[in-house]
Amino acid sequence: MKLYFSPGACSLSPHIALREAGIEPELVRVDLATKKLADGSDYLAINPKGYVPALQLDDGTLLTEGPAILLYIVQNLARTPLGPKEGMGLVRLVEWLNFISTEIHKGFSPLFKPNCPQEWKAVAKETLLKRLQWVDGQLAQRPWLLGEEFSVADIYLYVCARWTAFVQIDLGQFPALARFVENMAQRPAVQAAIKAEGLKQ
């Protein structure tokens, strides 16, 4: 099983999830600027979308889009529960993955783009802060996004929350979210994935 990744990018979430599922994937690093792999081959020939993550299963099937990969891990690979597999619990999991993907993950995008006008970055940052404030309120009521049950949604949120350090957002203003990030950082799968990608906590 191959995971195409870029260190610290959103591909870190399926990387952590796979390790939580007891799987150590073969990591294939992607240079997102050149769309090349370490051996010089063309990543676009594998994933024409050009971004990460992409997960290639042992039968050659390629999965793309982080939330879809996370759901695949929940449904097919997890040895211990990483989220509900059916019913309203699954609906709530998808609800959180969708929110994180569209409102938080994509909320960071303008802040990382050097050619994005400062005026738009200010608007994007203001919106992102509102979304993070709402999440902070949710986590003030429970340890994990789904309540007492840890899930892949928590992994995805953790990966996005790490990016605050790169865009001058102080997590201290969100005490419940900051505590959540600290708790996530103590998980062995998180530590293993971060070490494997050459990152710092």
Side-chain angles (χ1 to χ4, degrees):
M1 188 174 298
K2 294 181 181 179
L3 177 66
Y4 294 88
F5 82 106
S6 180
C10 57
S11 50
L12 179 58
S13 58
H15 184 182
I16 293 171
L18 286 167
R19 289 179 181 272
E20 289 278 2
I23 298 168
E24 186 174 336
E26 178 184 346
L27 297 174
V28 183
R29 184 168 178 164
V30 178
D31 184 324
L32 294 178
T34 64
K35 312 301 182 189
K36 298 291 184 182
L37 305 181
D39 64 3
S41 59
D42 185 8
Y43 179 56
L44 293 175
I46 297 167
N47 179 13
K49 295 175 181 176
Y51 52 77
V52 294
L55 182 67
Q56 188 172 47
L57 306 181
D58 292 338
D59 66 1
T61 300
L62 188 74
L63 302 176
T64 62
E65 303 301 327
I69 295 172
L70 291 173
L71 284 174
Y72 178 81
I73 294 170
V74 169
Q75 297 283 348
N76 298 279
L77 302 178
R79 299 174 186 172
T80 57
L82 289 177
K85 295 185 177 183
E86 60 186 12
M88 186 54 70
L90 176 59
V91 173
R92 291 300 185 193
L93 176 60
V94 172
E95 181 180 38
W96 270 111
L97 291 175
N98 189 67
F99 175 81
I100 296 166
S101 178
T102 61
E103 300 297 328
I104 297 181
H105 180 171
K106 285 303 179 184
F108 278 97
S109 295
L111 306 182
F112 285 124
K113 295 183 184 298
N115 59 345
C116 183
Q118 289 301 318
E119 295 82 1
W120 175 240
K121 285 188 177 184
V123 172
K125 190 170 186 178
E126 180 181 1
T127 301
L128 179 59
L129 287 171
K130 290 178 181 177
R131 301 296 184 261
L132 293 175
Q133 183 68 58
W134 184 80
V135 170
D136 184 68
Q138 299 300 303
L139 288 172
Q141 305 171 43
R142 50 187 182 265
W144 306 113
L145 294 176
L146 292 179
E148 298 298 320
E149 182 182 3
F150 174 77
S151 75
V152 293
D154 298 300
I155 298 171
Y156 193 10
L157 175 62
Y158 166 74
V159 170
C160 293
R162 293 183 81 252
W163 299 339
T164 57
F166 302 101
V167 295
Q168 291 74 55
I169 292 178
D170 179 11
L171 271 184
Q173 63 190 301
F174 308 117
L177 179 57
R179 183 172 59 251
F180 165 87
V181 169
E182 291 176 3
N183 290 339
M184 283 292 302
Q186 302 308 311
R187 298 182 71 88
V190 171
Q191 295 177 353
I194 285 177
K195 181 179 180 181
E197 294 194 13
L199 303 170
K200 296 180 180 179
Q201 279 284 16

